[in-house]
Amino acid sequence: MGDDYPTLFRSEQMSLMQFLIPTEVAHDTVAELGELGNVQFKDLNPAVNPFQRSFVGEIRRTEEMARRVRFFESQIQKDKDVVPIRPLYDSAPLVTVGPSAAHNIDGLDVTLAGHETRLGQMNDSYKTLSERTRELVEARHVLRETAVFFEKAETQQTDIRTSFDDSSAPLLQHDDREQQYLSSVQFDLEFVAGTIDRTRISTFERVLWRVLRGNLYMNHTDITEPFVDPATGTETRKNVFIIFAHGDALLAKIRKVAESMGATLYPIDANADKRSDSLREVTARLEDLETVLYNTGLNRRSELLRIGENLARWQDVVRKEKAIYETMNLFNYDVRRKTLVAEGWVPTRDFAMIHMALRHATEESGTSVVPILQELHTSKTPPTFTRTNKFSEGFQTIMDAYGIATYQEVNPGLFAIVTFPFLFAVMFGDIGHGLIIFFAALYMIIQEKKWARQELNEIVGQFFYGRYIILLMGMFSVFTGLMYNDIFSKSLHIWHSGWDFPEPASNGVSYAVSNGHMYPFGVDPAWHGADNGLVFTNSYKMKMSIVLGVIHMTFALCLQLPNHIKFKRPLDIYANFIPQMIFLQSIFGYLVVCILYKWSIDWSTRDTQPPSLLNMLIAMILSPGNVDATAQLYRGQGFIQVVLLLLAVVCVPWMLCMKPYFQWKEMQMIQGQGYVGLGHRNGGPRESTDEVLENEEEGNGRAIVEEMEEEHEQHDFSEVVIHQIIHTIEFCLGCISHTASYLRLWALSLAHAQLSEVLWSMTIEKFLGLSGIFGTIALVMVVVFWFSATVFILCLMEGLSAFLHALRLHWVEANSKHYQGEGYLFMPLSFAKLDEKE
Amino acid sequence: MASIIPVIFILVIVLGLMACGYLFVPKGLHQTTIRTAIMLTLASCYLMWMVTYMAQLHPLISES
């Protein structure tokens, strides 16, 4: 395997690079590296408080700009009519590197501040004007309703008037005098008018009644239209009330009660003419306000439209600037040489690319000092970087979800490209359903470019992310559908069937006779619809699950080998890999061989009965060596089984003891050399200490940082033993439980086939025989129902279920055989990824 | 007549195809991926076909 090209087999080789960047070029260099997206910078100031770092001022400024941009975004979203935001790829570029960069950023700052103040002012005035409008509308209502009250009040003057007289005096006696008092009476009865919330009106009435001891006359009506609060959109319903009472003290009390209950009072004149004047005035002012409001709205909208043109670009610039300054905060400032020192993980392969990027950055900025790049040697574990493209990204992600691969260990994602869709398909096998999901994935892939730019719904986005996985799942499902001979629960009759059905016997049951043909590709269609079809299919699928499962586990186990070879752990090969392989094969490999052997024998020509393999396996373990002669699979079976069992039993202590023993011997050796090595070891650091001292004089703080992070690898022997015990038990028990776990391949494919059959027989089958117009219409409707149930229940629901189970098989059964998964992900400074993060 | 010969025959063909896949995929960025995909696909499809074929070679029960 050539080292020229990156592969998915292992993660990339990474090296720790040190950058010496002159301060003038720093911003542009980091911008260039961010565009490249290949460097993961280390934090060289871990002990420094974030508020004390060097570039806090710039970050604060960008934060302020970001806040303004967010404010604009929220304003645009709140606007009822859609304000178009020009997408990023269509926006005018803003140059942020090079000599004009600082000027541009300053300009941007000023522009943003200007927009913000203008928008803020417009929002404030809009709010104030809306409130004034509301008050005026209320006043208008009050004026209108009180007119009605006054008319009513005049007719009831007589009743009110008599209450002030002696109760004994007859009504009619003062009739002639009443007309005189009419005008004066009106001024005696003063009133308070206003509006109050409808919910409070009854409380208001009761309180007033109690406070004034009934010396009041109150009337109220509903205002039919509710008032909508522009800020929150809530509606409130109000009533107009008018209270007639006599005397200043009472009126004062009424006013106080009204204010405490949250009513708004309006000055209403008793004179009808003055009231109509007020009404006209109010109406005029309302019209003015409406015009002003309308204009303000228009201005605001035009401002928002202007903002919308550039918003995407501003967001992008602000985000990038913030990322650049945050990264620059991770650097170490070398006072002597006036440079910034940065350390970062870089894929070794990309060294030349980074060099070019640095050179390009210096050219852009116009200075002539190129940043220096040197490689550092370190014992720290590099991050895991797997170079994926849009096809392998999905598969890598689902395997990474279990755990990130240790640096440079074999990547299960590579094999999952085929094994995952294959195991899915074994559980999903149906040509029709496979075609449905295949075409769905194909559609998504064809629309790739368009959909990638849009902001997709979360669920649709998930499906889109896995479109290549779904494509392969569909393809393999068509294959397994051909194998199971199942298309929408019917079977295809492509070749000659191997069975002939004679005339049914007297009890209606007919037994098929084999005619010597072999259906060459898949399950014979004669089994479809047969009464004992399930018996055959179950046996077939169960055994297939075991065969596939053992082979998958063996494959996963073999993936340990490249890891042991690469990391130079020969002990692991002899102490872990070999006993594990022998254990697995001697019991379950043997089972698979027996399955295949039993199938390959023509039992009609043998004297012995075909034995039940399950019982055979159980008997092998429980009573080894005793094989019933009438139920044996082959001659010499008893002896061979004993040998295999012994092999398996021997493997257990082998796994338990060999590795701890050798590691113990190694530790003894090291400790024995330890007293010699102490002086030896001191020689090493002493040399570097000189270097450190020398470098310290020049202000290079690099080596100090490295020494402080020396890793002490003192293995406690008990830890090793415990680890190995756990590992052994996990493997041995796991072998059995995982093999059984593969039976889910059978279970899910059975469920799928049955569901599909039930759906067909319960819907379309019942409607096929109908004739006539009614029959045809009903058939069409049922077909539509059948198809939607197929897509939603069988494809989506069963598909998700099979996806999950196939994933579990990969994560638990396969990965536990070889995967360490202790790495950490390579997270470079990448402007492209910043976009994804949001 | 149903016999085991087709299984071995197809096995040889599939092994030959796998060898072709290994040898003839051009060197490039995706060589490992394509090779692995081709070989694994051939292997797993053959396995499934073989199991299906052998299960029906000498059936122990017949349909009713």
Side-chain angles (χ1 to χ4, degrees):
Chain A
M1 231 176 296
D3 218 1
D4 319 314
Y5 293 99
T7 75
L8 274 181
F9 186 61
R10 290 185 197 284
S11 69
E12 295 261 339
Q13 192 184 22
M14 314 286 283
S15 28
L16 188 62
M17 299 284 190
Q18 187 183 53
F19 300 80
L20 292 166
I21 311 175
T23 328
E24 316 89 62
V25 213
H27 176 270
D28 294 353
T29 312
V30 177
E32 191 74 30
L33 290 176
E35 294 285 344
L36 204 56
N38 251 332
V39 186
Q40 176 178 346
F41 286 100
K42 261 171 65 166
D43 190 357
L44 291 175
N45 310 316
V48 178
N49 192 322
F51 295 105
Q52 291 167 349
R53 296 197 185 216
S54 0
F55 295 98
V56 177
E58 276 83 352
I59 292 191
R60 229 177 257 142
R61 197 166 75 139
T62 33
E63 262 304 324
E64 187 65 17
M65 289 201 277
R67 183 191 59 81
R68 291 201 179 112
V69 169
R70 274 196 302 272
F71 171 64
F72 297 150
E73 202 180 330
S74 66
Q75 287 295 306
I76 288 184
Q77 273 173 4
K78 268 206 279 186
D79 208 35
K80 289 195 199 90
D81 304 317
V82 173
V83 175
I85 301 183
R86 190 178 278 267
L88 188 58
Y89 56 85
D90 216 6
S91 300
L94 188 65
V95 176
T96 53
V97 291
S100 60
H103 175 73
N104 285 350
I105 302 286
D106 286 336
L108 181 64
D109 204 5
V110 167
T111 320
L112 289 177
H115 277 297
E116 189 190 17
T117 33
R118 275 200 299 276
L119 254 187
Q121 278 170 354
M122 280 194 265
N123 282 348
D124 283 338
S125 56
Y126 197 86
K127 211 161 61 134
T128 329
L129 289 173
S130 310
E131 271 176 30
R132 300 297 320 283
T133 318
R134 210 159 61 106
E135 278 172 26
L136 285 175
V137 169
E138 277 183 27
R140 196 174 56 182
H141 279 292
V142 170
L143 279 169
R144 284 213 195 109
E145 304 302 330
T146 49
V148 177
F149 291 158
F150 277 112
E151 286 163 31
K152 266 204 253 170
E154 276 173 36
T155 56
Q156 287 167 357
Q157 277 309 319
T158 44
D159 296 337
I160 299 168
R161 189 65 189 85
T162 45
S163 66
F164 287 103
D165 280 346
D166 292 327
S167 45
S168 56
L171 270 168
L172 290 170
Q173 261 190 353
H174 297 279
D175 240 349
D176 49 339
R177 272 196 288 162
E178 270 169 19
Q179 304 304 317
Q180 296 174 325
Y181 290 107
L182 254 176
S183 45
S184 57
V185 153
Q186 277 185 319
F187 294 115
D188 269 359
L189 275 177
E190 291 181 359
F191 55 90
V192 173
T195 59
I196 188 173
D197 257 348
R198 198 168 295 178
T199 47
R200 294 213 174 134
I201 190 92
S202 42
T203 333
F204 187 44
E205 261 185 295
R206 268 202 302 275
V207 169
L208 276 177
W209 191 260
R210 277 201 211 115
V211 167
L212 302 174
R213 299 201 188 100
N215 285 332
L216 79 157
Y217 174 71
M218 178 168 171
N219 205 335
H220 61 92
T221 26
D222 297 345
I223 301 180
T224 40
E225 316 94 48
F227 290 96
V228 182
D229 186 5
T232 55
T234 47
E235 294 181 343
T236 39
R237 296 188 134 79
K238 293 204 166 189
N239 285 17
V240 175
F241 64 87
I242 181 163
I243 307 169
F244 292 93
H246 180 66
D248 286 329
L250 286 180
L251 286 173
K253 271 194 210 162
I254 294 175
R255 289 209 180 86
K256 237 189 255 171
V257 171
E259 265 159 51
S260 71
M261 295 240 56
T264 338
L265 299 174
Y266 291 96
I268 307 286
D269 209 289
N271 193 321
D273 289 329
K274 289 215 190 111
R275 277 206 305 275
S276 51
D277 277 342
S278 304
L279 188 58
R280 266 200 297 276
E281 198 187 307
V282 163
T283 322
R285 272 163 64 192
L286 254 180
E287 276 173 20
D288 285 339
L289 269 182
E290 298 265 306
T291 328
V292 175
L293 261 182
Y294 180 69
N295 283 333
T296 316
L298 275 183
N299 277 342
R300 183 165 174 272
R301 190 174 163 73
S302 68
E303 184 82 18
L304 283 178
L305 280 172
R306 263 206 304 275
I307 293 177
E309 286 279 308
N310 293 320
L311 190 64
R313 173 61 58 191
W314 292 340
Q315 278 173 331
D316 186 51
V317 165
V318 163
R319 220 171 25 211
K320 280 191 193 162
E321 289 292 306
K322 181 152 175 244
I324 292 178
Y325 284 115
E326 277 179 349
T327 314
M328 281 169 64
N329 265 343
L330 302 176
F331 298 170
N332 206 349
Y333 188 57
D334 183 358
V335 191
R336 300 265 179 156
R337 303 203 194 113
K338 298 253 179 348
T339 59
L340 287 168
V341 178
E343 278 181 18
W345 290 107
V346 168
T348 317
R349 199 184 297 276
D350 292 337
F351 187 72
M353 214 167 25
I354 307 261
H355 224 59
M356 264 187 25
L358 290 176
R359 212 137 15 121
H360 184 235
T362 39
E363 276 168 24
E364 285 259 308
S365 74
T367 63
S368 59
V369 189
V370 184
I372 304 174
L373 195 58
Q374 18 170 279
E375 184 167 344
L376 297 175
H377 292 284
T378 173
S379 60
K380 302 208 91 205
T381 324
T384 311
F385 175 49
T386 322
R387 220 182 275 266
T388 51
N389 58 10
K390 65 182 179 186
F391 174 72
S392 46
E393 195 184 8
F395 298 100
Q396 189 62 38
T397 311
I398 59 177
M399 296 311 279
D400 271 348
Y402 178 72
I404 309 289
T406 316
Y407 178 62
Q408 293 224 301
E409 87 167 326
V410 169
N411 174 26
L414 172 65
F415 306 103
I417 294 180
V418 169
T419 58
F420 178 77
F422 179 69
L423 287 181
F424 171 89
V426 172
M427 293 191 264
F428 195 72
D430 186 309
I431 302 177
H433 302 150
L435 282 174
I436 291 179
I437 65 178
F438 176 75
F439 284 122
L442 201 61
Y443 173 70
M444 281 197 284
I445 292 176
I446 291 177
Q447 302 278 356
E448 216 168 46
K449 287 211 173 65
K450 202 173 76 163
W451 282 29
R453 286 215 206 109
Q454 287 173 1
E455 269 218 31
L456 293 170
N457 178 14
E458 196 179 324
I459 297 183
V460 175
Q462 297 264 40
F463 280 108
F464 179 71
Y465 190 74
R467 58 196 180 282
Y468 285 102
I469 309 182
I470 301 179
L471 185 78
L472 255 65
M473 276 160 38
M475 278 170 29
F476 277 102
S477 296
V478 172
F479 175 76
T480 53
L482 267 172
M483 289 280 99
Y484 292 152
N485 215 341
D486 193 355
I487 172 165
F488 292 129
S489 85
K490 299 277 147 221
S491 57
L492 294 171
H493 217 112
I494 308 181
W495 295 274
H496 271 306
S497 167
W499 299 89
D500 291 325
F501 273 98
E503 284 304 309
S506 49
N507 57 358
V509 177
S510 76
Y511 287 88
V513 171
S514 166
N515 60 12
H517 279 296
M518 252 312 279
Y519 198 75
F521 200 73
V523 172
D524 201 302
W527 286 108
H528 181 87
D531 279 341
N532 59 355
L534 264 184
V535 178
F536 169 72
T537 333
N538 282 350
S539 160
Y540 152 64
K541 284 184 182 172
M542 277 191 185
K543 290 183 178 161
M544 179 164 73
S545 311
I546 300 289
V547 170
L548 288 177
V550 173
I551 294 182
H552 190 216
M553 285 198 290
T554 312
F555 179 71
L557 199 59
C558 292
L559 288 179
Q560 270 188 25
L561 261 180
N563 281 341
H564 294 326
I565 295 178
K566 170 137 191 133
F567 295 124
K568 301 200 175 37
R569 304 190 288 233
L571 177 63
D572 269 339
I573 300 183
Y574 298 115
N576 267 343
F577 172 67
I578 294 192
Q580 282 178 349
M581 186 60 95
I582 296 182
F583 185 86
L584 182 64
Q585 298 311 319
S586 65
I587 302 186
F588 298 102
Y590 174 65
L591 178 62
V592 167
V593 168
C594 287
I595 292 176
L596 293 176
Y597 183 66
K598 186 176 165 190
W599 271 337
S600 66
I601 303 176
D602 193 351
W603 288 98
S604 54
T605 62
R606 283 266 196 110
D607 346 320
T608 49
Q609 282 298 313
S612 155
L613 289 175
L614 190 57
N615 292 340
M616 179 198 87
L617 191 69
I618 295 176
M620 168 176 160
I621 304 194
L622 286 185
S623 60
N626 303 337
V627 176
D628 197 0
T630 53
Q632 69 172 16
L633 195 55
Y634 55 91
R635 264 185 331 156
Q637 186 176 1
F639 175 69
I640 296 190
Q641 286 188 183
V642 170
V643 167
L644 288 173
L645 193 62
L646 276 176
L647 271 177
V649 167
V650 155
C651 285
V652 178
W654 186 352
M655 273 190 267
L656 262 178
C657 302
M658 186 170 179
K659 189 160 169 201
Y661 172 68
F662 276 98
Q663 286 198 322
W664 180 70
K665 268 184 54 178
E666 207 177 295
M667 284 204 310
Q668 297 285 61
M669 231 166 44
I670 292 182
Q671 276 181 17
Q673 288 181 352
Y675 296 105
V676 181
L678 207 54
H680 207 346
R681 275 213 224 114
N682 264 344
R686 210 179 286 136
E687 281 176 37
S688 59
T689 321
D690 281 343
E691 243 181 75
V692 168
L693 286 176
E694 203 182 287
N695 287 339
E696 262 185 56
E697 281 172 16
E698 294 185 40
N700 186 346
R702 154 178 66 99
I704 297 178
V705 175
E706 283 233 72
E707 234 190 82
M708 283 200 299
E709 294 163 1
E710 206 183 287
E711 280 162 16
H712 295 273
E713 295 184 28
Q714 293 281 41
H715 280 310
D716 221 358
F717 183 62
S718 54
E719 247 183 61
V720 175
V721 171
I722 291 177
H723 180 85
Q724 198 62 19
I725 293 179
I726 295 177
H727 199 67
T728 309
I729 296 179
E730 194 187 336
F731 181 78
C732 296
L733 291 181
C735 260
I736 306 172
S737 84
H738 293 165
T739 310
S741 173
Y742 274 95
L743 282 172
R744 70 188 67 226
L745 293 174
W746 156 66
L748 260 87
S749 74
L750 175 68
H752 190 92
Q754 291 298 300
L755 253 179
S756 168
E757 203 173 306
V758 161
L759 185 63
W760 176 272
S761 61
M762 289 292 144
T763 54
I764 296 193
E765 203 167 298
K766 295 228 149 69
F767 282 75
L768 272 179
L770 297 178
S771 57
I773 294 282
F774 173 69
T776 324
I777 297 179
L779 185 63
V780 166
M781 279 177 16
V782 156
V783 167
V784 167
F785 172 73
W786 171 85
F787 188 72
S788 51
T790 301
V791 166
F792 284 106
I793 300 180
L794 283 169
C795 289
L796 267 177
M797 188 188 86
E798 277 284 316
L800 280 173
S801 170
F803 184 99
L804 187 74
H805 283 284
L807 196 57
R808 174 249 153 77
L809 282 176
H810 277 75
W811 281 357
V812 180
E813 275 75 15
N815 278 358
S816 66
K817 303 282 179 299
H818 74 277
Y819 198 54
Q820 281 171 328
E822 288 165 353
Y824 61 105
L825 202 53
F826 177 62
M827 306 230 273
L829 171 71
S830 164
F831 293 146
K833 296 243 177 67
L834 273 181
D835 202 16
E836 275 173 38
K837 234 197 295 179
E838 294 206 10
Chain B
M1 194 191 53
S3 77
I4 200 91
I5 308 253
V7 174
I8 305 183
F9 184 56
I10 302 280
L11 174 67
V12 170
I13 294 184
V14 166
L15 284 175
L17 282 173
M18 280 167 75
C20 285
Y22 188 82
L23 294 171
F24 294 131
V25 173
K27 238 182 197 282
L29 198 56
H30 304 294
Q31 188 191 31
T32 322
T33 316
I34 300 181
R35 260 189 195 166
T36 318
I38 291 181
M39 288 168 63
L40 273 178
T41 312
L42 284 169
S44 42
C45 290
Y46 170 72
L47 266 174
M48 191 163 181
W49 173 82
M50 175 189 90
V51 165
T52 314
Y53 190 84
M54 285 179 72
Q56 297 179 97
L57 260 186
H58 304 288
L60 295 171
I61 57 175
S62 52
E63 301 102 341
S64 61

